[in-house]
Structure formats: C-alpha cells, structure tokens
Amino acid sequence: MKTPENIYLVGPMGAGKSTTGRQLAKVLGKQFIDCDAEIEASTGADISLIFELEGEEGFRRREGAMLKRLAEKQDVVLATGGGAVLDRDNRSLLITRGFVIYLYAPIEYLVKRTARDRNRPLLQTDDPRSRLEAIVAERDPLYRQIADLVITTDKRSARYVVKEIVKKLGAI
C-alpha cells in the first residue's frame, strides 16, 4: 500500500484527531505531531492561557505560523487544531502539502467527549452544546471542502477508526 507522504487530520474538538493520529502514525510508521501541543511547547503556555492573553485572533496567528512550519516536515500524521480551517491560507496549505482526512462526529458525541475538558477555551460558556453547534455549523463546510477523505468517529474506538482509514487509503 502506498500511503500519502503527509496526512493531516481536521475536525472539531472532541472528534479524536490526537488519539486517532497517534495510533495512525504508529500503524503507518510515520511521525505524529499535534499542532496544539507544538504551540504549547514553543510558547511555554497552554492554549487556554494564550486565548486569555491574546484572544482567539492572537492564537490563530500562532496556529497559522506553526502550521507553516509543520507542513515543511515529511512523512507525518498531523493533528490540526479544530479552528485551523478558518483561515484560507491554512486551508490552502493543508490541501497542497498533504492528504486531508476529516474526522466527523455528531454533536452528541462531541458534547460528551468535551464535557469535562477545561482546556477548551471556546467551550468555557454557560451553554457549551450551543457553542459546539455554532462551531460545527461554521466549520463543517470548510472541513468537507478540503477533505480527501471523511471518516465518522462516533461510537467507534480509535483502533477501529485507524483500521478504516488504512483500508480506505489502500483503496485510493
């Protein structure tokens, strides 16, 4: 099976990009990189603090710069931040530098997966479900626009999702 050199995982928070990405990279013999973790490592601050100090706009600038750096790497599986697709340049970069997989999950699943996570600044609101619905409504068309492959992750283990991805990559 000839797999794409670089695989970029996109999708909303809670869809399983990091968990799936780690396992997919291991199965494919590639390096796994998590964009948000790289931003935290390079700044010495967690995403929540960056949002607090610089706002979403400041974070998105950092995210775009990090994506440019990471897109230079070869033979990777990269988990992007959920909002990376909001920027046109980021979308173009992902499309031209690798194979994009959209990990899709219904709202109910995303709400469950993110319910206890305090490191999601956009969900620190009185109504996280409504916020997630608004986020997905805005971003889903962008994820689909750039995706080479769409995989549903709800009610499935990461291992199952990885097997499905590998199977579909083999058919491409």
Side-chain angles (χ1 to χ4, degrees):
M1 165 179 64
K2 183 177 178 343
T3 61
E5 183 177 17
N6 292 327
I7 297 174
Y8 301 135
L9 302 177
V10 300
M13 58 185 102
K17 297 181 299 290
S18 297
T19 303
T20 300
R22 259 185 224 94
Q23 291 184 28
L24 181 62
K26 189 173 185 178
V27 167
L28 297 177
K30 296 181 178 292
Q31 178 187 5
F32 171 70
I33 304 171
D34 183 300
C35 187
D36 285 351
E38 292 295 314
I39 292 168
E40 289 180 337
S42 72
T43 62
D46 66 23
I47 302 300
S48 296
L49 182 59
I50 296 169
F51 263 77
E52 184 181 323
L53 298 175
E54 300 178 6
E56 185 173 0
E57 187 177 318
F59 172 75
R60 296 292 171 213
R61 275 193 304 276
R62 289 182 182 277
E63 181 177 55
M66 183 59 71
L67 271 176
K68 283 181 185 146
R69 261 185 267 150
L70 297 176
E72 296 298 321
K73 295 187 176 282
Q74 297 177 358
D75 213 27
V76 300
V77 173
L78 173 67
T80 65
V85 297
L86 294 171
D87 182 87
R88 178 177 296 163
D89 291 340
N90 290 348
R91 291 192 307 270
S92 177
L93 184 72
L94 294 171
I95 290 169
T96 59
R97 298 277 175 90
F99 188 86
V100 180
I101 301 175
Y102 171 22
L103 298 183
Y104 167 81
I107 291 292
E108 296 77 31
Y109 181 79
L110 299 174
V111 169
K112 276 187 211 170
R113 287 284 311 269
T114 60
R116 291 187 209 119
D117 191 340
R118 297 293 158 234
N119 292 322
R120 309 230 186 230
L122 294 176
L123 296 184
Q124 301 312 306
T125 174
D126 290 336
D127 190 358
R129 181 187 181 89
S130 290
R131 182 69 180 124
L132 263 173
E133 288 170 347
I135 289 169
V136 170
E138 176 185 26
R139 298 176 186 176
D140 181 76
L142 301 173
Y143 296 138
R144 291 181 187 281
Q145 175 188 48
I146 66 170
D148 294 299
L149 179 63
V150 178
I151 299 287
T152 301
T153 64
D154 69 321
K155 298 179 184 172
R156 299 175 183 193
S157 69
R159 174 183 275 162
Y160 180 89
V161 171
V162 167
K163 281 183 183 179
E164 184 177 356
I165 291 170
V166 170
K167 182 180 175 184
K168 297 230 176 177
L169 288 175
I172 294 173

